[in-house]
Amino acid sequence: ESERADAYARAARSANTHRAYGADWKIFAQWCHARGESALPAYADTVRRFVAHEADRGRSPATIERRVAAIGHYHRAEGFVPPTAQPDSGRLRETLAGIRNSRGGKVERKQPADAQVLAAMLATLPGDGLRARRDRAVLAIGMAAALRRSELVALTLDDVVLVPEGMRLTIA
């Protein structure tokens, strides 16, 4: 039962999130080790100095906040209070807010892909071979259904059903 509970707990986050958290935790643990600090459990002030260090290295506020989330995740997983929930975490929260305000800047959004962009992408896949036809279908379906990359690559043949109205996709 414990193994099943652990499997469900792992399923709470995507594989990409687990990978990112693992990389973030490794960076934090190495930073702590180099300074003789404890990574687990870590004090809020330790994490506050770490995020300042990351900001000074040019990391984006989003990356820094993900690293803080990873640190919290590893603390909760081991039964410790996350640094952001410790009684003295106010200065850490203020430091994070200051990083967002001073380094956030304006987010430059990409232009959304439209029919012309899709046509240009499809044109780069010429031919009637199976691979070219598959790739064009994947691009067209992804665009028409507004799928995320992870949803698109997770589709299997069983998830696609042709119906009188067109196509039905099952997103697991």
Side-chain angles (χ1 to χ4, degrees), residues 65-168:
E65 288 179 7
R66 189 194 65 227
R67 290 195 174 147
V68 172
I71 293 165
H73 169 76
Y74 277 84
H75 276 71
R76 283 186 298 279
E78 295 299 321
F80 294 109
V81 175
T84 55
Q86 294 171 1
D88 63 341
S89 64
R91 292 182 71 200
L92 170 57
R93 286 191 298 275
E94 287 294 312
T95 302
L96 287 166
I99 290 168
R100 278 190 304 273
N101 288 339
S102 64
R103 302 188 61 82
K106 182 181 173 190
V107 175
E108 292 188 34
R109 297 201 178 264
K110 301 273 185 191
Q111 286 294 333
D114 57 14
Q116 286 181 320
V117 172
L118 178 60
M121 288 190 293
L122 294 174
T124 66
L125 301 166
D128 277 335
L130 188 58
R131 178 178 280 171
R133 292 167 77 183
R134 178 208 59 199
D135 291 349
R136 286 193 301 268
V138 167
L139 283 172
I141 289 170
M143 179 78 158
L147 297 178
R148 294 182 176 108
R149 180 180 57 194
S150 61
E151 294 167 337
L152 189 59
V153 300
L155 286 176
T156 65
L157 196 54
D158 293 336
D159 298 326
V160 182
V161 178
L162 296 178
V163 295
E165 301 81 23
M167 183 183 302
R168 182 179 317 144

Side-chain angles (χ1 to χ4, degrees), residues 43-65:
Y43 294 106
D45 191 64
T46 302
V47 178
R48 185 179 76 87
R49 289 183 286 112
F50 170 70
V51 300
H53 170 79
E54 290 293 285
D56 289 345
R57 289 181 56 212
R59 301 297 179 252
S60 74
T63 298
I64 292 169
E65 288 179 7

